[in-house]
Amino acid sequence: MKVAVMTGIGQIEYIEAAMPVPKDDEVLVKLEYVGICGSDLHYYENGRIGDYIVEPPFVLGHEPGGIVAEIGKNVTHLKVGDKVALEPGKTCGTCRFCREGKYNLCQDVIFFATPPVDGVFQEYVAHKAALCFKLPDNVSTLEGALIEPLAVGFHAAGQGDAHVGQSAIVFGAGCIGLVTMLALKARGVTNIVVVDIMQKRLEKALELGAEAVINSAEEDVSVRSRELTAGEGFDLAIETAGMEITASQCIQVVRKGSAIVLVGYGKSGMMNLPMSLALDKEVTFKTVFRYRHLYPTAIEAVASGKVNLTGIVTHQFDFEHVQEAMDHCVKDKSNIVKAVIKFS
Ligand SMILES: [Zn+2]
Ligand SMILES: [Zn+2]
């Protein structure tokens, strides 16, 4: 099979590799779509994210949708030909976090495309069957590839205890900001405002159902937020941009007793925030690391029509053109909301 390998910063080459053989509790999946994530772009552009450093050759890609091509002998819930979304992290199952059901915090997780573990910009992958979620007939493998980011959105909405009757503001209208908005809507929140500096992304947010948008390059976020909430402030703010300024704005625009969920990672990892104001408001801060067992929720939300995932995809590139796809995404951030790799 063909594998797209990152051989250096900004460099992709193709190699031929042996076909993976599924173990007894695994299935072999023929990939159909793999999403390009912000983290893939960071590794491609900078060779690292924090302490995770790429040692080439390395395979990117962790948002897979595909078709079951072969099953291990202990696998009973899947059959050849099933469409599946693959959850990318294998956890130990025995540590304290795994036992508490917070397996996303497992220290021994093996996660696609997180150095040194290879990802799935390749034609086939053998993966634990328990982490392959069958897609209903009316959900495509393209949507399957987007279940991964949508699970992050559901985790963010869940951490914020999003519910009917609330007003919410989402900072950042990239893929994670948009899937977070969709997850909020699926949980019954109707009054959602989205903030970004890129007009194209804000238009996408409106198209996907935002009640209003704020272009923070042109408008005062605090003033507009007061207008949009009759002076009260939002019940819930979710920060997906990973910037100090947007995290500060979260504190400024929420009402007293509200919740703020931090999702975005900043460049330096440090932030200066108006904490006295946060204390005055008795804000509850929550954070998000990936997700835990939200694939079934995310798939059901798509199957039932509560979430329109395909609307997020603005660009598709063939597997033969991964380098071009990555370069395009790096250079044209303002026009690309979400790109996916399509396998033939
Ligand atoms: Zn991702
Ligand atoms: Zn564990």
Side-chain angles (χ1 to χ4, degrees), residues 37-39 62-63 148-149 338:
C37 180
S39 68
H62 64 260
E63 301 177 354
E148 203 272 342
K338 183 70 177 178

